[in-house]
Amino acid sequence: MYWEMSNTLAANRISAVESELNSENPNDKLNRYIEIADKYFAGQKYSVARDYYIKANNIDSNDPHVRSRFDEIDNISERVAALLQQGDEICQRVNERYEECIKHPDPVELANCARDYEEVLKTYKRALELSNSDNDALKKVANIERRIRNINN
């Protein structure tokens, strides 16, 4: 199947939609962007929400709801980053022991290592509770879960 180049129906529809969007009342556009952003915000998809809040902010840079959401997203991002850093610091120490545990398996040390990784995992999961779509946190959780499985097998 191929697109019939002489058929202008699709191009006309696109043009009509673009024209409708461009002629949209700025307040309606502002409200639409905020509504979309709020849905992403509620779903903890903060980076996408921020994109829509930016679009809303471009229309009205003084909107208090948008300003408030920027502050909330920044606050959440800082808290997630702090939790990930805290987990990384603990994880670095445990990783050194992990290598030894794998090379020279000792049941007591393996259990201690698994327990310590569980603490790291709790820290990373707290970050995910704040932002369930944070790719960095998701990768770190998967990595620690894999290490715990390796220890327990």
Side-chain angles (χ1 to χ4, degrees):
M1 178 182 245
Y2 65 93
W3 179 44
E4 175 60 53
M5 297 293 285
S6 63
N7 184 351
T8 59
L9 182 62
N12 290 343
R13 283 186 180 165
I14 290 170
S15 179
V17 169
E18 285 176 343
S19 176
E20 190 175 322
L21 288 174
N22 289 334
S23 66
E24 185 177 16
N25 176 321
N27 277 339
D28 291 343
K29 191 181 281 190
L30 172 71
N31 291 333
R32 184 169 45 85
Y33 286 147
I34 290 173
E35 183 180 337
I36 293 168
D38 284 347
K39 287 180 182 177
Y40 281 112
F41 185 91
Q44 295 185 340
K45 308 276 190 234
Y46 300 117
S47 63
V48 179
R50 179 184 288 282
D51 292 342
Y52 281 97
Y53 289 127
I54 288 171
K55 290 178 181 190
N57 192 60
N58 289 338
I59 296 169
D60 181 359
S61 61
N62 295 315
D63 185 281
H65 179 71
V66 172
R67 303 297 328 147
S68 171
R69 288 298 201 199
F70 280 141
D71 292 343
E72 288 180 68
I73 291 170
D74 290 345
N75 182 282
I76 290 167
S77 296
E78 288 170 9
R79 290 169 49 205
V80 167
L83 284 167
L84 293 179
Q85 182 177 353
Q86 178 185 351
D88 289 349
E89 290 168 2
I90 300 167
C91 190
Q92 187 175 5
R93 291 189 302 270
V94 181
N95 284 345
E96 292 168 7
R97 288 188 20 237
Y98 172 80
E99 298 301 326
E100 277 302 307
C101 286
I102 297 302
K103 288 179 189 174
H104 309 288
D106 170 34
V108 172
E109 268 307 301
L110 285 170
N112 289 337
C113 196
R115 184 195 68 236
D116 292 344
Y117 273 131
E118 289 290 343
E119 288 303 312
V120 173
L121 188 60
K122 285 179 190 175
T123 304
Y124 289 154
K125 285 186 174 183
R126 284 197 336 245
L128 279 177
E129 288 171 9
L130 294 172
S131 180
N132 63 16
S133 62
D134 186 283
N135 287 331
D136 197 24
L138 289 167
K139 288 176 188 175
K140 290 172 187 275
V141 165
N143 183 42
I144 296 301
E145 287 175 340
R146 185 173 44 258
R147 291 216 170 199
I148 292 170
R149 279 193 308 274
N150 288 345
I151 290 170
N152 292 330
N153 289 332

